[in-house]
Amino acid sequence: MSAAPSLYCRGSAAFGAVPVFDAIELKIAAGQWTCLLGSSGVGKSTILKLFAGLGDKVSFIGELGASDGQSDGRVAMMAQSDLLLPWLSVSQNVCLGATLRGEVRDDDRVAEVLNRVELSEKSQSKPGQLSGGQRQRVALARTLMEDRPIVLLDEPFSALDARTRAQMQELAAEVLVGRTVLLVTHDPAEAARLGHVIKVMTANGIEDVVPPTGSVPRRFDADDVLRVQAGLLARLREDDACVQANI
């Protein structure tokens, strides 16, 4: 894997004549987790798609890219839905990217990645035979299989129960160490646990929030984590109230 760069996005975006965000400036730290929170519709997922090169329906005016000037082919993305193909086995889903690119399947690498997410015994199972948490681990394994220095996460754990979500957060923090990670989330607790950098996106721009102390993933019951979590929730509720007042 090549060195993980920082990312930047400066500008405005719209869908046709409908503005999504205006005059934002966002910097994503190299080799760290940046958590981006904000109200629904403020443009968080649009930023993620722009970094992923999936913003063909978005009109973007500004500057967007990586600090070293290279972003093409260096990005892996994990969505909220696991997006597994039900007719393929776990191992086939994990190496789907290589298959679609016409590359030779690396069975040793598949086995290594599945072992890392503790799914070696499920390699020949179909997605319908897995639990929700296992499916999300397959999706994470597929992301790791791409071995990209930039990883974009769009609320990948929000559909899971609390216990499984905490386990997946801890696993992702472990296996994505050293990568430049942008996590879009609505969950203040998740941001407080995982964010080296925490940002809140509002209609007026992007605000920095001082993260809790301690290494990632942080204890969910640590005093500093609970304090930042409460502050983030209050900030999001304040922004939601402003949005409703302006409707």
Side-chain angles (χ1 to χ4, degrees):
M1 184 188 74
S2 59
S6 60
L7 304 174
Y8 60 88
C9 176
R10 294 184 288 270
S12 58
F15 282 104
V18 180
V20 179
F21 56 77
D22 184 45
I24 67 157
E25 182 166 356
L26 175 64
K27 296 180 181 179
I28 308 300
Q32 295 186 324
W33 282 66
T34 296
C35 294
L36 181 63
L37 300 95
S39 302
S40 296
V42 78
K44 305 183 303 299
S45 293
T46 298
I47 290 176
L48 215 63
K49 291 175 182 177
L50 288 169
F51 279 129
L54 301 174
D56 55 307
K57 297 182 180 179
V58 180
S59 174
F60 176 74
I61 300 175
E63 299 176 294
L64 175 85
S67 57
D68 57 6
Q70 303 175 18
S71 56
D72 290 347
R74 304 176 71 194
V75 176
M77 184 170 177
M78 184 177 171
Q80 180 174 351
S81 171
D82 57 65
L83 300 177
L84 302 182
L85 299 183
W87 57 88
L88 297 182
S89 68
V90 165
S91 61
Q92 289 170 327
N93 269 289
V94 167
C95 64
L96 182 61
T99 301
L100 293 175
R101 291 189 295 269
E103 299 171 358
V104 176
R105 171 172 163 163
D106 186 343
D107 288 329
D108 289 339
R109 172 71 176 153
V110 172
E112 174 190 343
V113 169
L114 285 177
N115 181 63
R116 193 156 196 192
V117 299
E118 301 179 352
L119 284 175
S120 297
E121 75 284 358
K122 299 291 185 179
S123 64
Q124 299 308 309
S125 299
K126 297 293 178 60
Q129 299 171 294
L130 306 178
S131 68
Q134 289 171 332
R135 291 173 64 102
Q136 287 299 105
R137 277 189 277 162
V138 176
L140 178 59
R142 184 176 56 201
T143 303
L144 291 175
M145 190 68 189
E146 292 297 297
D147 197 24
R148 302 294 194 242
I150 302 168
V151 180
L152 308 175
L153 305 176
D154 193 0
E155 299 188 65
F157 315 131
S158 61
L160 302 176
D161 64 80
R163 180 179 60 83
T164 305
R165 182 164 62 248
Q167 291 174 338
M168 285 296 300
Q169 290 168 352
E170 291 157 9
L171 178 61
E174 175 190 345
V175 299
L176 295 177
V177 66
R179 289 166 168 79
T180 298
V181 179
L182 174 57
L183 170 63
V184 165
T185 178
H186 283 100
D187 186 354
E190 186 165 76
R193 289 199 77 201
L194 296 176
H196 296 102
V197 179
I198 301 174
K199 296 177 180 287
V200 176
M201 187 172 183
T202 74
N204 297 317
I206 295 178
E207 304 172 3
D208 289 307
V209 174
V210 177
T213 57
S215 58
V216 170
R218 304 178 183 95
R219 286 176 53 93
F220 65 88
D221 58 350
D223 290 343
D224 208 19
V225 171
L226 293 174
R227 177 186 59 78
V228 172
Q229 175 185 336
L232 285 169
L233 179 57
R235 182 65 188 85
L236 292 172
R237 293 185 67 179
E238 176 187 337
D239 192 49
D240 284 340
C242 290
V243 171
Q244 291 298 320
N246 291 326
I247 291 177

